[in-house]
């Protein structure tokens, strides 16, 4: 059948959480890898900065990054602030910030009421063969993950899988599977990949088998500063 009237069809995304992705410059990756290497090499310091009791992961090392280094390095902190609130290139503001992409909310996190954001925790997760992060959520308003190192042997592991290869992958899950509705997103991490997502969004990190190689990432939680008078 042929229509005699031209119609316009739009794609709408009124449901579900928003996930933002970007690539972090390698000099930032190098700065954090160097800092993490120093902590891992210092047994006393590693013990003092142990963060594992506050996390869900079943991994070799999980340690927090101190405020002093975060402020001194400042590049990642600036990227987090830009991604969470606004992204500016030159004199032009472009619509890639989390606030501009997230759908309207009925909760007390409205773009017009937000005056800034605070990073409440940043930690390193050092995965080795057999380690994994079970399905879990975070605290705060938004969370994120940045990949610093990936095992070179993962490609061989993927090639050995006959279906649904997931070794070392990150997977986001929300709701239940339904017809015409996707409820999960599985991503294969690459060094420099940076994701921001709602802190309440369930996610998991799959184990891998390659021995003597590290899968290293940074995770963080942040909260928005709210102007109560604009709610």
């Amino acid at each position: 059948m042929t229509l005699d009237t031209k119609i316009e069809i739009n794609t709408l995304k009124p449901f579900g959480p928003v996930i933002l992705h970007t690539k972090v410059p390698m000099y930032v990756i190098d700065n954090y890898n160097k800092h993490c290497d120093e902590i891992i090499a210092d047994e006393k310091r590693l013990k003092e900065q142990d963060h594992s009791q506050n996390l869900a992961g079943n991994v070799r090392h999980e340690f927090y990054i101190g405020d002093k280094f975060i402020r001194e390095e400042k590049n990642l902190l600036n990227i987090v602030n830009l991604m969470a609130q606004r992204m500016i290139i030159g004199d032009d503001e472009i619509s890639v910030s989390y606030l501009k992409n997230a759908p309207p909310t009925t909760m007390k996190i409205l773009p017009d009421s937000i005056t800034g954001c605070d990073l409440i925790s940043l930690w390193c997760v050092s995965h080795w063969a057999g380690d994994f992060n079970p399905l879990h959520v975070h605290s705060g308003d938004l969370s994120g993950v940045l990949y610093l190192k990936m095992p070179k042997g993962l490609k061989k592991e993927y090639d050995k899988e006959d279906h649904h290869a997931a070794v070392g992958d990150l997977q986001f899950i929300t709701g239940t599977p339904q017809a015409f509705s996707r409820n999960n997103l599985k991503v294969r991490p690459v060094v420099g990949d940076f994701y921001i997502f709602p802190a309440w969004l369930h996610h998991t990190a799959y184990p891998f088998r390659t021995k003597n190689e590290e899968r290293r990432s940074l995770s963080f939680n942040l909260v928005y500063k709210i102007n109560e008078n604009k709610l």
Side-chain angles (χ1 to χ4, degrees):
M1 184 177 71
T2 302
L3 293 175
D4 58 8
T5 302
K6 184 178 181 180
I7 64 173
E8 182 179 351
I9 300 175
N10 298 313
T11 299
L12 305 178
K13 293 192 270 187
F15 311 113
V18 172
I19 299 171
L20 290 188
H21 167 260
T22 192
K23 298 292 287 189
V24 170
M26 279 307 300
Y27 68 86
V28 181
I29 303 299
D30 291 341
N31 289 342
Y32 269 91
N33 270 327
K34 180 180 178 181
H35 183 67
C36 291
D37 286 341
E38 292 172 353
I39 295 174
I40 292 174
D42 188 332
E43 188 173 339
K44 180 180 177 182
R45 191 175 176 187
L46 184 61
K47 185 176 181 180
E48 290 174 347
Q49 295 184 217
D50 180 63
H51 198 47
S52 59
Q53 296 304 311
N54 301 308
L55 304 172
N58 188 335
V59 301
R60 184 178 300 187
H61 299 307
E62 293 176 302
F63 53 90
Y64 71 84
I65 306 298
D67 292 340
K68 184 175 183 293
F69 178 79
I70 295 172
R71 291 193 302 269
E72 289 176 349
E73 199 280 338
K74 75 182 179 181
N75 294 294
L76 182 58
L77 185 60
N78 288 339
I79 293 172
V80 170
N81 285 328
L82 291 174
M83 288 285 285
Q85 298 175 85
R86 64 189 185 283
M87 181 66 79
I88 299 175
I89 298 180
D91 296 325
D92 300 320
E93 184 172 342
I94 59 176
S95 181
V96 297
S97 75
Y98 196 89
L99 292 178
K100 287 194 173 183
N101 279 272
T105 176
T106 57
M107 300 181 69
K108 293 183 179 181
I109 305 179
L110 303 173
D112 291 342
S113 69
I114 292 174
T115 60
C117 62
D118 285 328
L119 196 68
I120 57 175
S121 56
L122 175 67
W123 65 96
C124 175
V125 182
S126 176
H127 287 249
W128 295 80
D131 292 348
F132 65 94
N133 252 318
L135 194 66
H136 66 287
V137 297
H138 288 196
S139 59
D141 295 323
L142 293 180
S143 295
V145 59
L146 168 62
Y147 291 96
L148 302 179
K149 287 185 178 183
M150 293 300 293
K152 294 180 180 179
L154 285 188
K155 185 180 184 306
K156 291 183 179 180
E157 290 194 49
Y158 268 100
D159 293 342
K160 290 180 180 179
E161 299 292 336
D162 60 354
H163 68 285
H164 195 73
V167 288
D169 281 355
L170 167 70
Q171 187 165 27
F172 298 101
I173 303 171
T174 182
T176 55
Q178 300 287 346
F180 315 117
S181 177
R182 184 176 186 175
N183 82 312
N184 72 88
L185 173 66
K186 185 170 69 70
V187 297
R188 189 177 302 183
V190 175
V191 171
D193 278 352
F194 180 44
Y195 296 91
I196 285 184
F197 50 92
W200 52 260
L201 181 61
H202 279 92
H203 56 287
T204 184
Y206 289 96
F208 59 92
R209 306 177 187 88
T210 302
K211 295 182 179 180
N212 302 318
E213 290 190 32
E214 182 184 11
R215 176 190 187 276
R216 181 185 293 178
S217 61
L218 293 176
S219 292
F220 71 85
N221 296 327
L222 68 81
V223 293
Y224 282 118
K225 299 176 183 177
I226 307 294
N227 182 344
E228 300 289 342
N229 295 325
K230 290 188 177 182
L231 293 178

